[in-house]
């Protein structure tokens, strides 16, 4: 969702302001809506870290929190358990990821019905990545003959069963397998026609690229909220691996910021937080009022960025 466009006078005031976007964000009385993405734990230690992050971020009253599937649906059962625990032990609104990979239509429909029975009312419908453990696929997605072929078909299946918000993915720089950005936007339009109610973007670092994508999507007639996906990453080597897999560009200026800091994690964290906060503050001034944070099950950076944006604990009056 986006806020109303700035008037000419408001835009002029911003240009003449001695404050930068981060300072202006802190002065702004409006409170953006935020959501947080977690991944299901693979060990007892990882589970403890996850719940530490959930506990730290829950008082910020996010719009929802999403729980991912691993590649190839490899964490399906852990995803279900994590969602159920969020429902049982917190006041948070969970959004469960669901993918097409390695499951029949019957199996996926049963998962959808199970989520509804458990009280889940929001599903993030994604095609999913091929399972790395299956060498016969060679890293290329191949739909099952008895499964849903893509995110559009999956979105339609969730919509048919009714009663869900449906978030889908979008790719400001194009999906790695897409022949063109225009094709990607056509796919997004098809997902909207199938029932999608929100699109969450892949993470990005070039704000102008994201804004041009937003403009093209709107020009194509897509009116659902486009939520910027923000990933404050302090591990630059890990960021390069993730970016290579999803098609997100890592700008030279960002690489220069992290250069020579392999053995300095504290400085890397400061840089990651400042870059993400600046991104969000600038997008806020472009009218964006929602931000989705890929937390990597860590709360510290996301918590700090939310503070910059004016998202703080909801205090109870005495």
């Amino acid at each position: 969702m986006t806020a109303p466009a700035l008037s000419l006078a408001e835009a002029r005031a911003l240009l003449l302001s001695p404050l930068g976007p981060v300072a202006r964000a802190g002065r702004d009385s409006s409170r953006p809506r935020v959501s947080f993405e977690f991944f299901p734990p693979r060990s007892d230690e990882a589970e403890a870290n996850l719940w530490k992050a959930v506990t730290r971020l829950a008082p910020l009253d996010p719009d929802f929190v999403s729980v991912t599937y691993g590649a190839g649906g490899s964490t399906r059962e852990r995803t279900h358990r994590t969602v159920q625990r969020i429902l049982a032990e917190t006041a948070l609104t969970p959004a469960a990821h669901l993918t097409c990979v390695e499951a029949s239509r019957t199996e996926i429909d049963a998962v959808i019905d199970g989520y509804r029975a458990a009280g889940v009312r929001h599903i993030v419908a994604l095609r999913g990545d091929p399972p790395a453990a299956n060498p016969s696929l060679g890293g290329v997605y191949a739909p099952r003959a008895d499964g849903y072929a893509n995110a559009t078909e999956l979105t339609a299946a969730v919509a048919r069963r009714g009663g869900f918000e449906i978030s889908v993915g979008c790719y400001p720089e194009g999906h790695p397998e897409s022949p063109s950005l225009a094709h990607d936007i056509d796919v997004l339009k098809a997902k909207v026609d199938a029932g999608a109610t929100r699109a969450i973007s892949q993470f990005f670092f070039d704000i102008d690229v994201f804004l041009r994508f937003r403009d093209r999507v709107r020009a194509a007639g897509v009116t659902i909220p486009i939520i910027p996906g923000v990933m404050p990453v302090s591990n630059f080597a890990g960021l390069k691996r993730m970016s290579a897999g999803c098609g997100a560009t890592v700008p030279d200026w960002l690489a220069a910021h992290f250069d020579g800091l392999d053995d300095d994690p504290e400085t890397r964290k400061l840089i990651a937080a400042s870059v993400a906060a600046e991104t969000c503050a600038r997008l806020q001034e472009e009218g964006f009022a929602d931000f989705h944070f890929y937390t990597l099950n860590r709360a510290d950076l996301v918590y700090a960025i939310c503070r910059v944006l004016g998202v703080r604990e909801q205090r109870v009056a005495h």
Side-chain angles (χ1 to χ4, degrees), residues 3 25 40 73-74 77 115 219 235 244 250:
S74 57
E77 293 307 317
Y115 277 138
N235 181 336
V250 178

Side-chain angles (χ1 to χ4, degrees), residues 170-182 184-185 201-214 216 243 246-251:
C170 63
Y171 303 85
E173 299 177 77
H175 190 281
E177 298 173 29
S178 179
S180 67
L181 190 58
D184 246 23
I185 293 173
S201 86
Q202 180 59 268
F203 68 87
F204 60 92
F205 297 101
D206 189 322
I207 297 173
D208 291 335
V209 165
F210 178 77
L211 293 174
R212 287 195 294 270
F213 172 77
R214 185 271 313 269
R216 288 186 63 173
S243 299
C246 68
T249 300
V250 178

Side-chain angles (χ1 to χ4, degrees), residues 38 48-60 85 90 92 299 303 313:
F38 302 104
N49 288 336
L50 165 63
W51 289 102
K52 183 178 178 181
V54 170
T55 301
R56 175 72 161 152
L57 295 174
L60 299 179
R85 186 174 173 185
T90 78
L92 297 170
Y303 184 88
E313 295 88 341

Side-chain angles (χ1 to χ4, degrees), residues 222-238:
V222 175
T223 60
I224 64 170
I226 305 295
I227 312 302
V230 180
M231 182 177 284
V233 181
S234 59
N235 181 336
F236 189 67

Side-chain angles (χ1 to χ4, degrees), residues 22-59:
V22 168
R24 291 194 293 264
R27 193 178 62 172
D28 194 339
S29 61
S30 63
R31 182 186 192 276
R33 290 170 294 274
V34 296
S35 54
F36 305 131
E37 181 169 300
F38 302 104
F39 58 84
R42 296 175 180 269
S43 66
D44 291 343
E45 180 182 5
E47 184 162 10
N49 288 336
L50 165 63
W51 289 102
K52 183 178 178 181
V54 170
T55 301
R56 175 72 161 152
L57 295 174

Side-chain angles (χ1 to χ4, degrees), residues 42 69-76 99-103 126-144 149 171 175-177 245-246:
R42 296 175 180 269
Y69 263 32
S74 57
T75 64
R76 184 176 295 133
T99 74
C100 305
V101 178
E102 297 288 272
L126 305 167
R127 189 202 70 182
D129 298 320
N134 189 343
S136 66
L137 294 179
V140 177
Y141 174 75
R144 279 177 49 154
Y171 303 85
H175 190 281
E177 298 173 29
C246 68

Side-chain angles (χ1 to χ4, degrees), residues 10 15 20 34 57 60 69 83 97 103 109 163 165 177 179 196 224 259 263 279 292:
E10 289 170 328
L15 288 173
V34 296
L57 295 174
L60 299 179
Y69 263 32
V83 168
H97 283 220
D109 290 348
E165 287 186 66
E177 298 173 29
I224 64 170
D259 185 44
D263 299 320
T279 296
H292 184 72

